[in-house]
Amino acid sequence: MRAMDPAPAASKMRFDSPAFRVHEDGRVERFFGTDTTEPGFDAATGVTSKDVVLDGATGVFSRLYLPALPDGPDRGRRLPILVYFHGGGLVLGSAASQMYHGYLNSVVSRAGVLAVSVDYRLAPEHPIPAAYEDSWMALSWAASRADPWLSEHGDAGRIFLAGDSGGANIVHNMAIMAGSADDDNGLPVGAVVERVILLHPMFGGKEPVDGEAADTRYHMEKLWALICPDGDGLGVDDPRLNPMAPAAPRLRALAGRRLLVCSAERDFARARAAAYYQAVKGSGWPGTAEWVESPGEEHGFFLLQPERDESSALMDRVVAFLSGE
């Protein structure tokens, strides 16, 4: 009888988690956030969406959302431009995912904004700084109102930034860049970042903050090493991940007049979000900062279970903030 062929050797892992794994040969398996849906008209909300490619070489695109426009004299009224950055630890997710598509349809319908949802390149195939570079390009594009929807209906003098988890990390970095850039490297003339929302932001740091679990810091160190392998030796004190690090830009440079930081009672990232909120308040930043904490909930619950009462409450708070209430 012929001997059986030996079983193939198991592939070694660089990173292994329930959401994704990275093999030593560079192959990436994602188990979450891979579903996508096409843009178009959403009958439930009256919102219409479309995709616009921003860079043909990289494939970076944005999904634009336009709410139903009123009849009468208000039809020509320009809408605030909401630039949204999806979450997923800078490794997962897409602007085309069903989860974010549904969330943006709801936000746009209720808040009356024109949204630009950014599909930036993901790590580890595209390490940091790719996500930040793509996001700044998309923000600058939105601020220039280069698309007909933006030029006809968008108000670049009222730009709102929002994102969740890794996307909220991007929001912070975009607000720092917009607030710190000189005239030659900043947003187009007349473009103003007015409001900023960080939903369950992803931050890190070598020194623990009050209430932060050691396990959370350990996992963030592993993740950051994967997505930012060339971090000049800073590790999790890279200013892009730790806004309170010694080398970080001053928080008082943040763009915007109003800031909303949201977390949840059982969010593993809550401690860092709270420390960030307090740091902004104590930095001399001239705007108004607000804190919202959802009782009994976990990281990203409002996206995973939008039907929950606390999800509705958070949606109400986000819409009120965007609407100026």
Side-chain angles (χ1 to χ4, degrees):
M1 183 173 65
R2 184 174 64 88
M4 295 180 62
D5 293 333
S11 175
K12 292 183 178 180
M13 298 292 170
R14 290 176 55 202
F15 194 97
D16 196 355
S17 76
F20 72 99
R21 67 169 60 122
V22 181
H23 298 256
E24 285 288 356
D25 61 8
R27 183 164 51 94
V28 181
E29 293 181 280
R30 293 180 170 88
F31 311 118
F32 179 81
T34 58
D35 62 309
T36 59
T37 189
E38 293 296 318
F41 177 70
D42 181 65
T45 60
V47 173
T48 304
S49 57
K50 68 176 181 179
D51 291 343
V52 179
V53 175
L54 306 185
D55 187 331
T58 63
V60 172
F61 71 91
S62 285
R63 179 162 292 187
L64 276 62
Y65 295 82
L66 184 67
L69 300 174
D71 294 324
D74 287 341
R75 187 172 181 84
R77 180 173 58 90
R78 293 194 176 275
L79 307 174
I81 299 172
L82 170 65
V83 184
Y84 193 91
F85 304 92
H86 69 79
L90 308 181
V91 175
L92 302 168
S94 167
S97 78
Q98 180 62 56
M99 184 173 70
Y100 286 105
H101 187 72
Y103 183 72
L104 267 298
N105 275 329
S106 296
V107 169
V108 166
S109 172
R110 294 190 52 190
V113 295
L114 196 168
V116 177
S117 181
V118 181
D119 196 77
Y120 51 87
R121 287 173 292 171
L122 300 176
E125 298 95 329
H126 305 284
I128 298 301
Y132 300 122
E133 292 173 347
D134 295 346
S135 297
W136 181 255
M137 175 187 67
L139 172 57
S140 301
W141 176 84
S144 71
R145 299 192 303 143
D147 182 83
W149 282 10
L150 292 165
S151 62
E152 293 174 19
H153 305 293
D155 182 357
R158 290 185 296 161
I159 295 175
F160 304 159
L161 306 181
D164 65 284
S165 192
N169 172 283
I170 291 176
V171 166
H172 161 75
N173 282 281
M174 295 303 101
I176 283 289
M177 292 172 69
S180 305
D182 57 33
D183 291 342
D184 293 332
N185 299 303
L187 296 177
V189 175
V192 178
V193 174
E194 189 176 272
R195 297 175 197 176
V196 179
I197 303 177
L198 277 69
L199 297 158
H200 301 193
M202 182 187 88
F203 293 130
K206 293 180 180 178
E207 294 298 320
V209 296
D210 186 38
E212 184 180 37
D215 194 50
T216 298
R217 292 200 310 280
Y218 169 74
H219 286 293
M220 185 54 65
E221 287 172 358
K222 288 184 61 180
L223 177 62
W224 190 252
L226 176 73
I227 64 181
C228 186
D230 299 321
D232 296 327
L234 294 171
V236 290
D237 271 346
D238 188 310
R240 294 167 294 191
L241 182 66
N242 183 2
M244 289 89 76
R250 294 184 302 169
L251 288 171
R252 65 180 301 167
L254 280 169
R257 301 184 181 98
R258 294 182 63 188
L259 169 70
L260 178 65
V261 183
C262 303
S263 191
E265 182 181 7
R266 298 169 59 193
D267 181 2
F268 63 84
R270 180 200 173 281
R272 287 277 167 188
Y276 174 83
Y277 165 72
Q278 293 296 341
V280 172
K281 286 190 66 177
S283 70
W285 181 63
T288 301
E290 304 169 45
W291 170 262
V292 171
E293 183 173 328
S294 302
E297 299 294 350
E298 298 182 345
H299 191 79
F301 74 94
F302 60 97
L303 292 164
L304 299 169
Q305 297 176 301
E307 72 283 354
R308 295 178 66 88
D309 290 344
E310 286 300 329
S311 298
S312 297
L314 183 57
M315 173 66 80
D316 290 344
R317 187 67 191 84
V318 167
V319 169
F321 184 83
L322 294 174
S323 301
E325 299 175 19

